[in-house]
Amino acid sequence: MASLETIKLPDIGVSGKVEIIEVLVEAGQIVEAETSMLTLESDKATMEIPAPKSGKIVELLIKVGDQVGTGDPIATMEVATESAGESAPAAAEPAPAAPKAEATAATATPVAAPADLNADHQCDVVVLGAGPGGYTAAFRAADLGKKVILIERFEKIGGVCLNVGCIPSKALLHVSGILNETREMGSHGITFAEPKIDLDGLRGFKNGVIDKLTGGLKQLAKQRKVTILHGVGHFASANHIRITAADGSQSTVQFEHAIIAAGSQPVKLPFIPHDDHRVIDSTGALELADIPKRMLIIGGGIIGLEMAQVYASLGSKITIVELADNIIPGADKDLVRPLLKDIKKRYENIYLGSKVTGVTATADGLDVTFEGKSAPATDRFDRILVAVGRAPNGRKLNLEAAGVTVDQRGFIPVDARMQTNVPHIFAIGDIVGQPMLAHKAVHEGKVAAEVICGMKSAFTPITIPSVAYTDPEIAWAGKTEDQLKEEGIAYEKGAFPWAASGRSLSIGRDEGLTKALFCAETHRLLGVGIVGPNAGELIAEAVLAMEMGADMSDIALTIHPHPTLSETLGFAAEMAEGTITDLLPPKKR
């Protein structure tokens, strides 16, 4: 027997109407449940709408270009029905799933769960933390057929990166770059009036970017049937996580596999009054509460320098103090040099080889004492940003209840499959070690999900790129020149100055440099460093080249478009092999 049913658009997590951009089925077609019927496009994402059940499409009630919303009829479908006697056996079929859970628990040999733990939720895979690594792992596991629960302590998913890190900082750096560029156009014959800063408008722009991305993620989770639970999660056993919501209520999740993606937090210095509202971390800096007259940034790493650029462009007088003898200690000095030269002109002070030894909060400001070869004994500031690094959250999750090993610093040791010492519990992202980068976590998340689903997958990158989104940007991947020297590896270098790049000169930015490092014996690419506008975009070619085992000739013979900044990598390879014609070759082969 069959019945005629009207298929309506399910809740897609979007208010109002969205446009149909593609119809994927036709009248008379027999479709299975979950077959994609339509493609919709909102201002946040495109999404496919699946058939809720199997049957025959009798009539389509929509067409491409129509605007539809939740509950609107989209088709009529002929659906097979069964008698009560026939349907009874089908209802009993899911029962064999229990032995599967038992087998998983037996092979994993986890710490025994307390007998009195009652679960409010059950799933195949639970992911603790909804940052880029966490939501990627959750989505990948769901795509591979797993029932997934994603736990996030904050209201919006996306983690530090989307909400108070990578994305909002880049939105503000974009504005900062425009402000700086307009001020520098006088040398090109164009002068702009000094811009008016509307902090409310600037915060609105930043928050709009965040809302669009986090809203899109929520929508993608819903489409994949990933359940999001909000609250702080702690392990109660090797198969249970207890969640405490913002209102204090608690619930428990029982799982077969877990992926820990709980990230990291800013390091706090014990001698600084962090309870004073004038002392902020990166999260506080991104809130843009005001524009302080004088701002001290403790830490000359990437986060500190990016925030320094934002506040300096808005009008703050910036002082940076860094314990090392150079800013961005992980990068080669020749890459850092153009940035350091520039910010020495823009900022009030830069104290290298120096440190803060104390901070006293007074009504008139924050009184700071220094030690170091270039720093004064004392100075007073209106605001202090502490940007001395991040610490993993491994010791905040009660992992001992699950038997998971955590080292003294809070990192969770894992293997190439992202497995912890407890086989059915995985960990990814900042919490498993350096580098603490979102793009590393994303790939680790995919690996963890795939291994759980029985795939042969491992996290074995040749290199992970690093980028400082300053002005100029600095990007590097593979071995740095300092590392090659320390490890005693013989290498050949090709360095191309952007002062010889037509594209660089045409945009008034000749301070850049592209450097390529090759094995002296095999000529295989070992590392690349770039400083200049868009260095973060340009480094991707070098990463791919290293992953594919490219050598000097492969890169030199690759035809790059002209005039572009991307061709400077090809020129650097030509410098190394002595075939460059845009400059005098340093040597001939």
Side-chain angles (χ1 to χ4, degrees):
M1 302 220 12
S3 64
L4 196 64
E5 295 187 12
T6 299
I7 305 302
K8 296 182 179 181
L9 190 71
D11 185 357
I12 56 175
V14 177
S15 60
K17 302 284 187 178
V18 295
E19 183 180 357
I20 297 173
I21 61 172
E22 192 175 12
V23 177
L24 304 173
V25 295
E26 57 186 19
Q29 181 177 342
I30 297 174
V31 299
E32 298 292 329
E34 300 301 320
T35 299
S36 295
M37 298 178 63
L38 311 171
T39 303
L40 308 179
E41 184 175 60
S42 71
D43 61 344
K44 295 177 180 176
T46 59
M47 65 199 88
E48 292 187 358
I49 304 302
K53 54 186 69 179
S54 301
K56 179 181 178 180
I57 303 294
V58 176
E59 182 183 4
L60 289 170
L61 306 177
I62 42 76
K63 63 183 183 299
V64 172
D66 285 354
Q67 299 282 328
V68 292
T70 299
D72 288 350
I74 57 177
T76 54
M77 178 184 284
E78 189 178 88
V79 181
T81 59
E82 297 175 341
S83 66
E86 292 172 328
S87 62
E93 285 181 3
K100 178 181 178 183
E102 292 171 4
T104 302
T107 55
T109 60
V111 176
D116 61 347
L117 280 178
N118 295 316
D120 302 286
H121 309 274
Q122 295 181 335
C123 63
D124 300 324
V125 180
V126 64
V127 182
L128 182 57
Y135 71 70
T136 297
F139 293 175
R140 182 65 175 136
D143 290 346
L144 292 171
K146 296 294 185 181
K147 181 181 178 182
V148 180
I149 289 177
L150 180 59
I151 301 172
E152 171 54 44
R153 66 181 301 177
F154 296 114
E155 179 184 354
K156 298 177 182 179
I157 64 173
V160 169
C161 179
L162 266 68
N163 290 284
V164 290
C166 321
I167 301 305
S169 65
K170 302 312 164 287
L172 296 180
L173 284 164
H174 167 67
V175 173
S176 170
I178 291 175
L179 288 172
N180 290 340
E181 192 169 3
T182 58
R183 291 162 179 158
E184 294 165 357
M185 288 299 290
S187 61
H188 298 244
I190 299 175
T191 302
F192 294 91
E194 185 63 21
K196 295 181 179 179
I197 306 298
D198 175 6
L199 274 185
D200 288 336
L202 183 53
R203 283 190 293 263
F205 162 67
K206 170 189 66 97
N207 293 336
V209 173
I210 296 170
D211 291 342
K212 189 167 186 177
L213 287 171
T214 56
L217 287 177
K218 186 176 180 180
Q219 192 171 293
L220 288 171
K222 191 168 190 175
Q223 291 167 351
R224 287 179 161 92
K225 297 181 174 60
V226 172
T227 300
I228 300 174
L229 301 178
H230 293 280
V232 178
H234 295 92
F235 279 82
S237 78
N239 290 94
H240 295 83
I241 290 178
R242 185 171 286 116
I243 304 170
T244 303
D247 61 4
S249 61
Q250 291 191 333
S251 60
T252 301
V253 176
Q254 182 178 346
F255 58 86
E256 292 185 15
H257 293 87
I259 300 174
I260 303 167
S264 62
Q265 62 181 353
V267 170
K268 290 186 176 181
L269 299 174
F271 52 84
I272 291 180
H274 290 277
D275 55 348
D276 191 297
H277 73 278
R278 294 168 294 182
V279 176
I280 56 176
D281 57 17
S282 57
T283 299
L286 291 167
E287 291 175 357
L288 284 179
D290 57 17
I291 303 172
K293 291 181 179 180
R294 297 191 74 222
M295 185 175 190
L296 172 66
I297 296 179
I298 304 176
I302 291 175
I303 294 174
L305 290 168
E306 289 180 353
M307 288 298 94
Q309 179 177 317
V310 170
Y311 277 88
S313 66
L314 294 175
S316 296
K317 293 182 178 180
I318 299 295
T319 293
I320 294 175
V321 58
E322 167 58 43
L323 184 60
D325 63 356
N326 202 9
I327 57 173
I328 315 182
D332 285 334
K333 288 187 176 181
D334 55 351
L335 298 180
V336 173
R337 193 174 297 119
L339 173 62
L340 183 59
K341 180 181 178 181
D342 181 71
I343 62 177
K344 279 183 175 179
K345 300 174 185 176
R346 298 189 187 200
Y347 300 168
E348 189 173 21
N349 297 294
I350 299 176
Y351 303 136
L352 300 177
S354 304
K355 63 180 181 179
V356 172
T357 57
V359 176
T360 302
T362 70
D364 296 326
L366 296 165
D367 292 340
V368 180
T369 56
F370 297 91
E371 282 184 6
K373 54 188 178 183
S374 61
T378 61
D379 203 347
R380 175 174 290 172
F381 298 91
D382 302 301
R383 186 68 56 91
I384 295 177
L385 166 60
V386 181
V388 293
R390 300 184 65 85
N393 290 326
R395 294 199 166 273
K396 297 189 172 186
L397 309 175
N398 197 36
L399 286 167
E400 57 270 21
V404 174
T405 299
V406 183
D407 72 16
Q408 291 183 345
R409 295 175 297 169
F411 289 113
I412 301 173
V414 293
D415 60 17
R417 291 155 54 90
M418 310 315 297
Q419 281 180 301
T420 68
N421 63 302
V422 179
H424 70 286
I425 298 180
F426 296 69
I428 63 171
D430 290 4
I431 210 164
V432 303
Q434 299 287 354
M436 291 184 174
L437 297 170
H439 45 277
K440 175 181 80 88
V442 165
H443 286 268
E444 290 173 336
K446 287 185 177 180
V447 168
E450 289 167 357
V451 171
I452 287 171
C453 295
M455 298 176 65
K456 294 181 178 179
S457 186
F459 184 71
T460 56
I462 298 295
T463 184
I464 300 169
S466 295
V467 182
Y469 295 92
T470 47
D471 184 16
E473 290 184 5
I474 300 174
W476 66 99
K479 297 285 188 182
T480 66
E481 196 166 358
D482 288 341
Q483 288 173 330
L484 291 174
K485 291 176 181 177
E486 289 171 6
E487 296 172 20
I489 298 174
Y491 67 95
E492 295 185 8
K493 177 172 71 173
F496 185 81
W498 285 20
S501 161
R503 178 61 173 160
S504 179
L505 292 172
S506 69
I507 60 174
R509 299 298 297 270
D510 63 354
E511 77 274 28
L513 173 75
T514 298
K515 176 174 69 172
L517 307 169
F518 301 92
C519 173
E521 182 179 352
T522 66
H523 294 165
R524 187 168 177 169
L525 184 63
L526 299 177
V528 170
I530 305 173
V531 55
N534 299 311
E537 310 291 340
L538 301 176
I539 199 65
E541 179 187 357
V543 174
L544 179 61
M546 280 181 268
E547 289 288 350
M548 299 188 71
D551 63 18
M552 198 181 290
S553 296
D554 293 325
I555 298 171
L557 292 172
T558 298
I559 300 176
H560 294 78
H562 174 80
T564 61
L565 300 176
S566 66
E567 66 186 334
T568 61
L569 180 58
F571 291 151
E574 290 180 353
M575 288 287 283
E577 69 176 6
T579 60
I580 186 81
T581 55
D582 288 66
L583 289 172
L584 287 175
K587 55 183 166 182
K588 297 180 180 180
R589 291 190 183 277

